[in-house]
């Protein structure tokens, strides 16, 4: 693996991705979509990323074959499974826990931190991926979800995860700017049955 060609992007509320290049001197490696990937720290002892191959581009230079690999995180496990179920007047966290128990446990996904959240009046999933179902619940509640590198699914409110640092006046070069948005406003709501 080319060390300077390896990158990992991780942000709350978004899927983590990693990309790297594998040098194949003997043209002996074969990489395919869905193949598991683990990336370790420099000491080779701690896993810093788990995911699955999403895309492979191969390029030959002389006798050397370079595999440029893009990966997706463990959300892929929820993309693979479909759910057909309806929920009425249940807590958001209970719905997510049920999806884990009913479908995602088959992929060895377990419950991490699942916050109760508000009551969802109605949620109907008609053979959609478990990822789409959980994303819909997260959008209704304003929560975020993630399947971490240990295959634990977390469903939490954004405010419940503190930043690992504190910002003080010394950190400010100039006055901060902010934008007020109303991205949850809608004047028309369409509900598909």
């Amino acid at each position: 693996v080319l060390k300077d060609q390896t990158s990992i992007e991780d942000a709350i509320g978004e899927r983590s991705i990693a990309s790297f290049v594998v040098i194949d001197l003997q043209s002996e490696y074969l990489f395919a979509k869905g193949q598991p990937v683990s990336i370790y720290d420099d000491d080779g002892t701690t896993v810093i990323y788990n995911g699955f191959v999403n895309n492979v581009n191969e390029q030959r230079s002389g006798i050397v074959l370079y595999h440029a690999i893009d990966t997706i995180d463990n959300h892929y496990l929820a993309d693979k499974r479909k759910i057909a179920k309806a929920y009425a007047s249940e807590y958001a966290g209970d719905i997510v826990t049920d999806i884990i128990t009913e479908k995602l446990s088959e992929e060895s996904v377990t419950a991490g931190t699942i916050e109760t959240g508000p009551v969802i009046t109605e949620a109907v999933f008609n053979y959609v991926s478990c990822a789409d179902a959980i994303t819909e619940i997260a959008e209704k509640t304003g929560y975020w979800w993630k399947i971490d590198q240990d295959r634990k699914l977390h469903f939490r409110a954004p405010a419940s995860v503190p930043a690992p640092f504190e910002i003080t006046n010394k950190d400010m070069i100039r006055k901060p700017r902010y934008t007020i948005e109303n991205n949850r406003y809608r004047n028309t709501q369409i509900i598909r049955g």
Side-chain angles (χ1 to χ4, degrees):
V1 175
L2 292 174
K3 191 171 182 180
D4 62 340
Q5 294 292 315
T6 301
S7 72
I8 300 172
E9 296 178 23
D10 189 20
I12 289 178
E14 295 181 21
R15 293 178 182 232
S16 302
I17 57 172
S19 60
F20 53 91
V21 176
V22 175
I23 303 169
D24 190 355
L25 298 174
Q26 306 295 321
S27 297
E28 61 186 330
Y29 299 125
L30 179 64
F31 299 98
K33 184 176 177 88
Q35 184 176 356
V37 171
S38 293
I39 299 175
Y40 292 83
D41 65 359
D42 288 336
D43 298 332
T45 56
T46 304
V47 175
I48 57 173
Y49 178 86
N50 274 333
F52 297 87
V53 171
N54 188 43
N55 190 30
V56 181
N57 290 313
E58 296 177 345
Q59 181 178 349
R60 185 171 293 282
S61 177
I63 61 167
V64 178
L65 183 61
Y66 294 92
H67 304 272
I69 300 173
D70 295 323
T71 68
I72 52 178
D73 65 7
N74 284 336
H75 283 74
Y76 173 73
L77 301 168
D79 290 332
K80 292 177 11 179
R81 297 289 173 173
K82 302 284 185 200
I83 186 166
K85 196 163 184 179
Y87 299 91
S89 300
E90 292 191 44
Y91 287 107
D94 291 344
I95 295 171
V96 172
T97 300
D98 186 63
I99 293 171
I100 294 168
T101 304
E102 293 287 321
K103 295 294 182 180
L104 297 179
S105 61
E106 297 169 19
E107 296 289 344
S108 300
V109 174
T110 58
T113 304
I114 307 290
E115 294 181 4
T116 305
V119 172
I120 302 295
T121 309
E122 180 181 68
V124 179
F125 306 120
N126 191 12
Y127 293 99
V128 299
S129 73
C130 290
D132 288 345
I134 297 170
T135 298
E136 184 177 324
I137 297 298
E139 287 174 354
K140 286 181 178 182
T141 59
Y143 281 40
W144 61 270
W145 71 280
K146 176 181 186 143
I147 301 176
D148 69 18
Q149 63 190 22
D150 297 322
R151 294 191 179 195
K152 291 183 185 285
L153 192 148
H154 303 277
F155 180 77
R156 304 183 74 180
S160 65
V161 182
F165 54 87
E166 189 173 312
I167 296 177
T168 65
N169 287 338
K170 293 182 207 174
D171 299 320
M172 301 292 177
I173 296 173
R174 54 180 98 98
K175 291 184 179 182
R177 289 182 277 163
Y178 61 92
T179 303
I180 298 173
E181 294 182 0
N182 197 0
N183 58 1
R184 291 182 179 247
Y185 173 79
R186 55 177 85 80
N187 57 10
T188 302
Q189 176 78 26
I190 299 172
I191 302 173
R192 297 185 324 188

